[in-house]
Amino acid sequence: MSSFIKVNNLDVQYSRGRRSLFEKEEFFKAVDNVNLSINKGKIVGLVGESGSGKSTLGRALLGAKEFHHGSIHYNFEEGSIDLSNLSKKNLRDFRSKVQLIFQDPYNSLSPRMTVRDIIAEPLEALGMTKSKSETDNRVIEIAQKCQLNINHLNRFPHSFSGGQRQRISIARSLIAQPEFIVADESVAALDVSIQAGILQLLKSIQNEMGLTIMFISHDLSVISNFCDEVAVMYLGKIVEYAPKNEIFLTPKHPYTQALLNAVPSINPHKKNIQKTLEGEIPSIYDRPQGCVFQSRCSKVTDQCRQNEPSLKKFHNHEVACINLDD
Ligand SMILES: Nc1ncnc2c1ncn2[C@@H]1O[C@H](COP(=O)(O)OP(=O)(O)OP(=O)(O)O)[C@@H](O)[C@H]1O
Ligand SMILES: [Mg+2]
């Protein structure tokens, strides 16, 4: 079976500006040579410390941030799309098939639009309905699915709680019936009990619609409950990618092990894992030669300082490390 999303050798850069007026603009890679295959209908968790490039990768997958090298290929139900080679028409089709769920339900909803208009906006922007009544029906249908009170659709967002606002965001993201969603820290701003309800809702809709989700989060216990697979990022690179249970029960990369070790409650094999994370993450402007994790790794050897490991299949994991124990 071919993957739903296939990312090959992806680099995404940002500008560092110029040192002086007379010098050239400098760039750095926030995402560096990423390879990733995502299967249809999966929820893939993306974890890693702040600044590791998670949001940048998510935005590149949505076509919201240009990339400078490599490729992103989607196998949608109605045909495949290569993001580096999009015509205007294909770009419009693509935009209807992918969506972002906003990070912050307090600031992301326009305070001057009614909830009906907020939810309807993607449909209207993409010209996907023929009449106002067709749009209204679609809004009501998705609002019900997201457990919103349809008698309150003419209200403004300020009269809703954080959890309800996140349901509005989700309804808006789903109304155009996308096939792929990036949820970037979508429940991080909510209380734990409200988070659980939102995640349950998202999972049941995901199941029903056969959605594929990239779920970006700092919260490993949320990732362990919600995701099917987990990709671990460090300094712009994916260092490990495996089914959720494999990641949590038998993490292979020293960085994954250290990340899990920092959360004892979700790590039943704590005694097998020696080290927690020490030291600072190196500057992304000054990525070391060889393995990106070398400065913090307890298993580092000279080889790690010379050769950059690529992601290799190891049991059911893909791991970028040359010192793996069985
Ligand atoms: N618009 C931008 N211009 C320049 N640099 C940026 C921009 N956005 C992000 N960066 C830098 O790119 C790197 C990756 O950032 P990104 O936001 O993708 O990380 P992240 O893993 O999502 O972090 P967090 O967990 O804090 O959300 C960081 O060094 C960040 O400072
Ligand atoms: Mg981010």
Side-chain angles (χ1 to χ4, degrees), residues 99-101 181-186 202 213-217:
Q99 280 290 336
L100 176 71
I101 296 182
I181 295 265
V182 173
D184 192 347
E185 304 282 359
S186 295
L202 204 53
I213 300 181
M214 174 171 271
F215 187 81
I216 300 174
S217 176

Side-chain angles (χ1 to χ4, degrees), residues 14-15 28 30 48-57 59 103 184-185 216 218 284-285:
Y14 290 112
S15 170
F28 73 97
E49 281 161 287
S50 189
S52 54
K54 304 180 296 296
S55 298
T56 304
L57 176 59
R59 293 183 61 219
Q103 174 162 16
D184 192 347
E185 304 282 359
I216 300 174
H218 278 106
I284 200 148
Y285 302 142

Side-chain angles (χ1 to χ4, degrees), residues 46-295:
L46 188 58
V47 298
E49 281 161 287
S50 189
S52 54
K54 304 180 296 296
S55 298
T56 304
L57 176 59
R59 293 183 61 219
L61 291 182
L62 295 177
K65 170 78 183 111
E66 68 190 309
F67 53 93
H68 301 80
H69 183 257
S71 63
I72 301 175
H73 195 93
Y74 281 84
N75 273 316
F76 290 117
E77 271 170 20
E78 287 162 20
S80 50
I81 279 183
D82 182 348
L83 265 196
S84 45
N85 193 12
L86 272 184
S87 64
K88 264 200 173 144
K89 179 187 172 299
N90 283 349
L91 181 65
R92 203 183 161 89
D93 284 351
F94 176 72
R95 293 244 182 272
S96 70
K97 291 187 166 66
V98 300
Q99 280 290 336
L100 176 71
I101 296 182
F102 289 113
Q103 174 162 16
D104 174 1
Y106 290 93
N107 295 317
S108 59
L109 305 178
S110 167
R112 279 178 285 276
M113 284 167 78
T114 64
V115 169
R116 182 265 176 212
D117 289 348
I118 289 171
I119 296 175
E121 199 177 34
L123 270 192
E124 287 170 342
L126 293 161
M128 291 177 77
T129 45
K130 293 191 180 67
S131 64
K132 183 174 173 300
S133 68
E134 189 186 345
T135 307
D136 284 340
N137 289 339
R138 292 275 294 267
V139 171
I140 289 169
E141 189 189 350
I142 196 71
Q144 277 171 330
K145 233 180 221 161
C146 293
Q147 295 158 10
L148 286 161
N149 185 337
I150 56 168
N151 298 318
H152 296 170
L153 292 175
N154 283 327
R155 296 188 180 177
F156 292 90
H158 63 79
S159 58
F160 291 83
S161 69
Q164 285 169 327
R165 284 179 201 218
Q166 196 52 298
R167 288 172 201 274
I168 297 168
S169 260
I170 292 173
R172 175 193 160 91
S173 303
L174 296 178
I175 195 161
Q177 296 192 309
E179 291 183 41
F180 178 60
I181 295 265
V182 173
D184 192 347
E185 304 282 359
S186 295
V187 292
L190 302 173
D191 292 340
V192 175
S193 59
I194 294 167
Q195 267 188 18
I198 298 277
L199 291 172
Q200 218 170 18
L201 171 75
L202 204 53
K203 194 146 196 162
S204 74
I205 294 176
Q206 180 263 342
N207 231 321
E208 190 186 318
M209 292 174 70
L211 267 175
T212 309
I213 300 181
M214 174 171 271
F215 187 81
I216 300 174
S217 176
H218 278 106
D219 188 334
L220 287 168
S221 62
V222 168
I223 293 265
S224 79
N225 283 321
F226 186 63
C227 299
D228 303 309
E229 288 165 357
V230 182
V232 182
M233 272 191 100
Y234 187 80
L235 223 60
K237 290 184 176 290
I238 290 184
V239 295
E240 183 162 3
Y241 181 39
K244 185 231 345 237
N245 286 341
E246 299 275 339
I247 289 277
F248 283 98
L249 295 176
T250 55
K252 300 290 182 206
H253 196 283
Y255 177 60
T256 315
Q257 295 177 348
L259 261 189
L260 295 184
N261 210 27
V263 194
S265 58
I266 55 161
N267 175 18
H269 294 287
K270 186 163 195 277
K271 58 181 178 303
N272 298 333
I273 298 168
Q274 304 299 320
K275 285 269 175 185
T276 51
L277 271 176
E278 281 167 12
E280 287 283 307
I281 195 163
S283 163
I284 200 148
Y285 302 142
D286 205 7
R287 213 182 256 109
Q289 190 194 337
C291 174
V292 276
F293 190 56
Q294 58 182 276
S295 62

